[in-house]
């Protein structure tokens, strides 16, 4: 299958979904990590241009660990909008990945970029398969036939997972991927006084407590008319 | 009374609301069917221009069955946005119909065009009656004084009706209206493997099971400050 | 129609539902006020036996204002339970009233007696019409065919009305009925520092603000399979 | 695996869950159908004693179609309570079936017997595996390790399925099982003006519309601490 | 502390939040009242340009009562959008106020301008503290570290307060502030048949009933990752 | 103030609420830990009588660490019911503690004993202050005037905290209290394969992530008419 995760910032996937992607990759599925913004505003000392270069390199290093393809949309960090322009970009991302499963941010996430990326994915869902949408770069891929999952958020505020993936066997690899985002580890420390590695360890163990395994990631499926709801397509 | 239904695509009204509109029409009320998009992307073989012509003709045929007026906004299918431009168009639709009751799509519908049409109707509600909104074509109509109802969606996913309309006596006419959308019957068959007539029959019977009649349509009222909530204005 | 309101304590109906009952009574419907407990614990100075006598008299005076029938179940105040014994009593109350519309407390009311009365009414709904339930005093009445409404609660905590009744024309009569509960006016003042008349005035005006009239009462319908959901049966 | 469905009345399983049980049975799992009440109040002409005999025979005929074991608890219809006595009975039912998956009624079902059966199953969950619970007939079975699913209700009122089972290939067998309940087909016709077979056909097709198959049954999982939430255990 | 309230129209703050602001002001905190639109569409007789002048003057008079600073963004009334342009304006408002506490409209308010102002505040939250956001007029203020509260709405429709502020001692001052909006008192009377002063009195008393004081305002906190949720920062 | 926590089993308080109780105790408030059941079923090897003795001793040791008073109701584990008998016991517990703040289990906890203890506390709330309730051992305490908080559950399933208490400075003491429950540490290991100390560490850190401190406990307040909702009474 083709697995796609679309996140707003370069480390979101590692924090919220990497364990699941690792499991898909290890089962031989094609994984695509799409990063919608350049993550270029998250530092008070480094210029946006410089920061984008750093973060893209970090993302490629992380993706290389599981052989995932990277789509780098390069939208300015903090400036995601559900606009026509960004819709076109999102449709092309979906078309390039032609996904069987899509992961993205939840509509009630704490960060506006996350919310709008989630909204753009939802909005682009049908258009990925319709050939006549004007001004698209990529040709239409398959119509429908993907399942859409919303990811957890930091601290789990207003998020109750409905499905869990056991990531106990791949937690080290998940933390290795996260560790590629060196610029962010220090920036989060400075700006938000947060130890990213420790935070992800705690959140994965907490979701594991609920699910009945050592480490887990939690998701909520976005159900919709005739989207093949009779099977579990998660690993 | 003036009854207005604003839908995103040319067959949405027939699927979700036509039974109720038929009952209003038979009671002598003035019914307006507003179609926000041209429905011109739903086919992989027919060009958008050609498709718009076909679907407009089908819509006029359906509306003629109950003597409803049609407003055809002609926005490109799949490209509805809650933008300033489309807001202006929606305000003029509401002003033209000067409605006592408005039906539209629910904010958690499965299709982004549906969601945004519903959002535009909600957003245009107050402006229909304010004379100083700039760049409108139509003069202001009555301020407030309409009730707003959200329609069911396909398969009823995340939708729990709060009010029902008994359409047992008009189900044949509803299916006749739907049958006018010939282009869609075949397209839905091909694209989504869906038999539209059968689907509508099942959904109407299911809502009827809940309501205690043979066939029904279900709705949720969007309540708001001083909108005349002490009466049932549904047929 | 036969209208039944089942409340836990002798003044609950006046506070939460009397305006609606007055309107039914004025339209010629038969109104029954069923009081499940004797309301005999609400005073620190008067003995339970004495208090029951006082409160029953007050209730009869209030009911007389609209010609309503009173059913006085006399369960000990604060000791309502969804038990077999109290279920039998509730079934007989419903059978005696043979209601087309039932009002009772909401399942998330702040008072346990209220909650359990609401639960008992819900639980007794089907049994009112089944002739073979053992140990009942009254014969079965009509099966099904009633609508069940939950009443507002004090301060509206966790209660969002879905339907409103305009009681502007009968607010004086509602307050007259409430004023019959003299023992309670002073007791609420002493125990809970609450001015009952003022409280009911404010709550009715607040619900009127929402509904678009001067005074209103708010309700939530308890929907269920085939309970005749296509009509508004409220005044 | 051991599959257990606990329902309140003799035809509830056929209406809401039989398709799923058939699929389990065809895959070689051991299926147990537990009927908590004797279903002996649902007729106005036949005595409760006589009716119990008829309905037990009908249930055994239905279960025989898939080789399911039947547990007949024989509680008086309409008199289910979450009491100590009925808790003991429910614990023994669970112990006898030693289930990997349990299906039962949802806590917000329309019928009090359904609600209380669901509550009793929830309440008995831990006790099935604790050897020291006094006054039990059966020895403790495995501790924990089962998943609990709530079934749909008639008309789907207040019920939004979260998981679906495709029953397209077994719908005829489901209707055959339902057809065994001859006494109920006529009684529902008379008491509630309901065609059971037609109703089940419509509801299964409606759930299938949502799920993307011809016929489906819908469920909601009752999640709980460490209940093995990382796998789909439904067919 | 720095207290900021961002509302859509010139009288919204007085109606929904002024009591709380008065209490903050009396405790010596710096209060900023930000009015996003010019409130210039709310009258059918006065031109938008004229109306803006009147309403700004009224707002300044009201703010003067508590020594609050006013930020007047001057967006056209009824034309609030979560667009890039208005996002820039909102970020600068937040930066100018550098708030410890922010009050704004709730995402499910009845008025689209209210909803979009609330959404813009939510969306601008992180950007207020990030120095590299392009095209901003004001320099970045502190990162994070504010709590965000959503205000009540008229009639309390779909709004359940989670926290209350006792405004019994400042209700007269709240009504004095509201009375500054003379143009609105008459316009609401004409357009919506609403007595603003009476309405606010009723709503404050109703919220007081729930909270256990004479007059109160109700709020819901918008929780988010690491926003200092272990303290009450309300007066 | 008088602080009361009522839990179902001897280690529930330590897992879910001890940090908050420690903080109250250190501020000089009087803390009462009420354990409703004897916790005597949780072991497959030790007899219920023996187990009760062990667990009571462990509870007293834990309470001694903060000088808390213990109320040991001794109901048989797994047999909590919202019955009249257990209601009487709960009323006397509340009267003995005369609480300003009450903590108990949430109504949607995963364990039936937890749910029913929470329900009994809710149900006994008003009766603690009414002197005429028959068959009580203790005299009535103050009427009303307490706030009621629901505790988190294991894994946080279906629980979204609305308020948090920072327990970073007392986490070691919380784990010391938990460590007193030696019998449970080994039993949970064997029965449910759960490391209690590690679990509590993870859950406290996870709630701290959300709240913005190192360790936290999360709660939901049960609001009710006039229960003094304008203050935070948590430490």
């Amino acid at each position: 299958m083709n697995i796609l995760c679309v996140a707003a910032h370069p480390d979101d996937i590692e924090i919220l979904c990497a364990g699941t992607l690792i499991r898909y990759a290890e089962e031989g599925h094609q994984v695509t990590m799409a990063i919608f913004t350049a993550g270029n505003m998250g530092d008070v000392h480094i210029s946006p241009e410089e920061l984008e270069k750093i973060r893209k390199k970090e993302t490629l290093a992380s993706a290389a660990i599981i052989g995932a393809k990277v789509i780098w949309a390069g939208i300015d960090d903090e400036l995601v909008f559900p606009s026509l322009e960004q819709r076109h970009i999102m449709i092309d991302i979906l078309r390039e990945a032609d996904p069987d499963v899509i992961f993205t941010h939840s509509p009630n996430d704490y960060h506006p970029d996350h919310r709008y990326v989630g909204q753009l994915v939802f909005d682009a869902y049908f258009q990925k398969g319709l050939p006549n949408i004007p001004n698209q770069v990529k040709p239409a891929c398959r119509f429908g036939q993907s399942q859409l999952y919303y990811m957890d958020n930091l601290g789990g505020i207003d998020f109750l997972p409905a499905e869990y993936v056991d990531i106990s066997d791949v937690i080290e690899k998940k933390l290795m991927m996260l560790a590629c985002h060196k610029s962010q580890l220090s920036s989060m420390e400075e700006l938000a006084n947060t130890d990213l590695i420790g935070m992800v360890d705690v959140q994965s163990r907490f979701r594991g407590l609920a699910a009945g395994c050592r480490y887990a990631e939690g998701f909520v499926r976005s159900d919709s008319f005739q989207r093949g709801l009779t099977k579990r397509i998660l690993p």
Side-chain angles (χ1 to χ4, degrees), chain A:
Chain A
M1 295 191 297
N2 297 332
I3 312 301
L4 171 67
C5 182
V6 190
H9 306 112
D11 56 347
D12 292 333
I13 291 177
E14 284 77 4
I15 295 171
L16 300 168
C17 191
T20 301
L21 299 185
I22 294 165
R23 288 203 47 193
Y24 275 122
E26 293 187 346
E27 291 174 8
H29 300 293
Q30 172 63 49
V31 174
T32 302
M33 294 163 62
I35 317 298
F36 202 68
T37 80
N40 54 345
M41 297 295 172
D43 198 286
V44 294
H45 309 301
I46 307 172
S47 75
E49 296 71 30
E50 189 58 27
L51 192 54
E52 173 164 9
K53 282 184 209 148
I54 294 170
R55 301 199 72 179
K56 190 170 180 184
K57 221 160 100 182
E58 293 171 349
T59 298
L60 293 171
S62 166
I65 292 175
I66 56 168
K69 187 173 165 183
V70 169
I71 299 177
W72 186 268
I75 298 291
D76 259 350
D77 191 8
E78 307 291 336
L79 295 174
V80 182
F81 285 89
S83 62
L84 177 58
E85 292 70 26
Q86 298 193 10
R87 171 90 68 90
H88 283 310
I89 295 168
M90 189 60 85
I91 293 172
D92 279 335
I93 290 174
L94 296 193
R95 288 177 170 194
E96 186 171 344
D98 191 11
D100 295 275
V101 190
I102 310 171
F103 297 93
T104 192
H105 298 289
S106 163
N108 69 343
D109 195 282
Y110 76 102
H111 196 297
D113 280 0
H114 294 194
R115 290 189 177 203
Y116 289 131
V117 162
Q119 186 174 341
L120 283 162
V121 169
F122 182 92
D123 291 353
Y125 183 87
F126 288 103
Q127 284 107 329
K128 72 180 172 68
L130 293 172
N132 293 327
I133 306 291
N135 302 314
Q136 295 300 138
V137 176
K138 306 277 177 189
C141 66
R142 291 175 291 166
F143 183 79
Q145 298 180 23
S146 326
Q147 281 193 8
L148 175 56
Y149 282 93
Y150 292 126
M151 304 187 290
D152 204 347
N153 64 53
L154 302 193
I157 291 173
D158 280 339
F159 190 88
L160 293 169
E163 302 194 51
Y164 296 86
V165 173
D166 183 344
I167 61 164
S168 307
D169 292 345
V170 299
I171 181 69
E172 289 80 13
K173 206 180 266 190
K174 176 182 165 91
L175 295 179
M176 272 175 60
M177 287 175 69
L178 181 58
C180 295
H181 293 275
K182 289 198 196 79
S183 69
Q184 212 50 17
L185 300 183
S186 52
S187 169
M188 280 290 280
E189 195 67 46
E190 179 175 356
L191 254 180
N193 196 26
T194 301
D195 161 25
L196 262 184
I197 299 277
M199 184 186 85
V200 166
D201 180 76
V202 166
Q203 186 140 349
S204 304
R205 284 171 65 195
F206 186 69
R207 294 311 186 197
L209 275 181
C213 55
R214 279 185 306 119
Y215 292 90
E217 287 168 350
F219 301 95
V220 168
R221 191 171 66 183
S222 166
D223 284 356
S224 179
F225 179 57
Q226 300 215 324
R227 208 172 272 181
L229 305 178
T230 56
K231 292 197 186 69
R232 177 179 163 112
I233 203 165
L234 294 175

